[in-house]
Amino acid sequence: MTKKPQQREHYLDSVRAWLMLLGVPFHLSLIYSTQGWSVNSPHPSAWLTLLNDFIHAFRMQVFFVISGYFSYMLYLRYAPKHWIKVRLERVGIPMLAAVPLLTLPQLFILKEWTSRLDGWAALTPYAKYNMVSWDLISHLWFLLVLCILTTLGLIAFRLLRDARRAKTDYSDLSWGKLSLAILAYSLLWGAFRRTIFLLQPQWLMDGLFSNMVMQSLYFLPFFILGAMAWKYPAIKALFVRPDYRVFAGAALAFAAYVANQTWSSGEGWLYELDAVISMQMGLWMVNVTFSAGHRFLNSHSPRITYLVNASLFIYLVHHPLTLLYGIFVTPHITSNTLGFFVGLLLVFGVAFLLYELHLRIPLLRFLFSGKPQKTRAAAAPVKQH
């Protein structure tokens, strides 16, 4: 029996691309925020700090919902062994290629032109290894987490696939029930983190443990929720249908997020409260972004297709470009607002030029996409998700 192919959901492609591209204003605003980064303006900007907090509070939660959605769709299309091979190639090859091509040069940039590695000679061997691991992973952390969640998906997706639909179709699911489920998970995550903080606090400072364990556990429910939205149309319909009570909840959650960042401390409950608040905001922003995307972006556009194809590459290269901008240009622009917008123009401009350049070099196209490169004669249109 041949199933009718599902119409391509342009709005999800678009939302995913815009979430990736938001990495540029996120890191540029980080320069001008009150958050300590490798490069900071001497006089932080209140509105850019607020912008940075807003982007950080929801962006990756929504991204992992979309990743889970498309990952499960492809899982149903391929045999499990072929699926895991294809998915890890698409995610792992760009991640591994970006280490020598991007984050390793970035490490030398930090060493030569910032105070990031000051006191290197006095560090213990482990401290040196840990600092290097943080900086080599850097902004590639989400690819590392996606590799881990994809691997876990071999088990989770099989269970989801084999679950009897007759048992429930989630038509009675509401935002209240979903919010309570995410709240319960965030409290468990916070309890797990607090236990580690009390018993083995040094683990939380370890780059590999923090990214591979804590981040993966944090984003796991969003990844699974995305897969469930593919299997159960009622969940997807809930996401796409605008609910202004949820919109209001997202606004209140953001206010709580800013308050926590302003008045809490790392020795207190800052990170546990952050998890509770940002998981709720991330969940509610799924409704905001999905419904807005479905309303305004659900159509084919060559421009959007270009951004979808370029978004991963732009995200990968923007981080070292932003650091270079912060080191060499930021000190010469006295206005934080002007510096931010000039930075957007320069970083996006150079990133898109590099994207066009890499398209003309087959090896780079392969390394930054994880896809085998076909000759024009052999290439055929393929749906990308």
Side-chain angles (χ1 to χ4, degrees):
M1 178 178 178
T2 301
K3 293 183 179 180
K4 182 180 179 181
Q6 182 167 342
Q7 182 180 3
R8 182 165 178 172
E9 294 166 300
H10 298 286
Y11 73 99
L12 289 180
D13 280 332
S14 298
V15 171
R16 181 175 58 177
W18 286 113
L19 290 172
M20 293 291 292
L21 294 174
L22 273 177
V24 179
F26 169 73
H27 283 109
L28 276 167
S29 62
L30 193 56
I31 296 174
Y32 300 103
S33 75
T34 56
Q35 303 288 342
W37 199 42
S38 301
V39 184
N40 283 110
S41 170
H43 305 291
S45 163
W47 85 267
L48 287 172
T49 298
L50 204 63
L51 175 65
N52 184 264
D53 285 343
F54 176 71
I55 296 173
H56 186 260
F58 80 93
R59 181 172 68 106
M60 297 311 296
Q61 296 93 308
V62 179
F63 173 84
F64 276 102
V65 170
I66 298 175
S67 295
Y69 183 88
F70 284 132
S71 293
Y72 186 68
M73 177 197 73
L74 294 173
Y75 177 83
L76 297 179
R77 184 177 298 176
Y78 302 122
K81 288 183 179 180
H82 181 64
W83 173 79
I84 192 71
K85 176 179 180 294
V86 170
R87 294 304 297 160
L88 290 181
E89 284 176 350
R90 298 285 176 86
V91 177
I93 291 175
M95 178 184 69
L96 294 175
V99 172
L101 296 177
L102 295 174
T103 60
L104 184 59
Q106 179 180 280
L107 181 63
F108 286 100
I109 291 172
L110 293 172
K111 181 178 183 299
E112 293 299 322
W113 293 309
T114 74
S115 59
R116 168 74 177 167
L117 299 179
D118 284 357
W120 174 263
L123 296 177
T124 64
Y126 169 76
K128 291 179 179 179
Y129 149 79
N130 192 39
M131 183 172 287
V132 168
S133 70
W134 276 107
D135 287 316
L136 288 184
I137 295 173
S138 186
H139 63 301
L140 308 179
W141 68 267
F142 88 96
L143 291 175
L144 176 61
V145 170
L146 195 51
C147 284
I148 293 170
L149 295 183
T150 297
T151 304
L152 293 175
L154 275 176
I155 301 173
F157 289 176
R158 183 183 64 190
L159 295 174
L160 183 61
R161 181 197 63 193
D162 296 341
R164 292 183 300 166
R165 288 194 66 152
K167 187 176 181 180
T168 179
D169 60 2
Y170 289 96
S171 58
D172 62 341
L173 185 66
S174 66
W175 280 107
K177 293 178 180 178
L178 197 51
S179 299
L180 286 174
I182 290 295
L183 174 61
Y185 186 89
S186 67
L187 291 174
L188 286 174
W189 187 95
F192 178 60
R193 186 193 182 278
R194 178 56 50 165
T195 301
I196 295 173
F197 178 76
L198 294 174
L199 300 179
Q200 296 290 341
Q202 69 276 11
W203 289 6
L204 298 175
M205 300 303 295
D206 185 275
L208 287 178
F209 181 84
S210 178
N211 284 297
M212 295 181 68
V213 178
M214 300 306 295
Q215 292 281 61
S216 295
L217 289 174
Y218 180 95
F219 290 106
L220 176 62
F222 297 97
F223 188 73
I224 299 300
L225 189 58
M228 293 179 67
W230 171 267
K231 177 165 184 174
Y232 300 105
I235 298 179
K236 181 181 172 184
L238 187 70
F239 291 170
V240 172
R241 184 172 57 251
D243 188 321
Y244 297 103
R245 296 169 300 175
V246 176
F247 291 9
L252 290 174
F254 179 58
Y257 180 88
V258 172
N260 184 51
Q261 292 291 319
T262 303
W263 290 301
S264 293
S265 66
E267 292 76 16
W269 295 88
L270 169 65
Y271 296 105
E272 289 80 6
L273 286 172
D274 180 273
V276 172
I277 296 167
S278 60
M279 281 191 187
Q280 289 296 327
M281 182 176 174
L283 173 67
W284 293 333
M285 285 298 292
V286 169
N287 186 229
V288 175
T289 55
F290 276 44
S291 60
H294 189 266
R295 173 67 177 83
F296 298 108
L297 301 173
N298 198 24
S299 61
H300 173 69
S301 165
R303 182 171 61 251
I304 293 297
T305 300
Y306 178 83
L307 290 177
V308 169
N309 293 332
S311 59
L312 176 60
F313 181 89
I314 299 302
Y315 179 82
L316 292 176
V317 303
H318 89 278
H319 198 268
L321 293 176
T322 302
L323 285 172
L324 288 171
Y325 176 81
I327 292 167
F328 294 109
V329 181
T330 293
H332 302 288
I333 301 178
T334 55
S335 168
N336 287 337
T337 299
L338 178 61
F340 173 73
F341 285 107
V342 170
L344 287 179
L345 181 65
L346 290 179
V347 172
F348 269 126
V350 174
F352 276 108
L353 285 175
L354 291 174
Y355 174 69
E356 288 295 327
L357 176 63
H358 112 286
L359 289 178
R360 290 154 176 79
I361 304 173
L363 177 60
L364 289 180
R365 288 207 313 271
F366 167 70
L367 291 176
F368 283 102
S369 70
K371 302 176 185 177
Q373 302 302 306
K374 299 179 181 179
T375 62
R376 294 197 175 192
V382 177
K383 287 187 176 181
Q384 296 180 354
H385 287 279

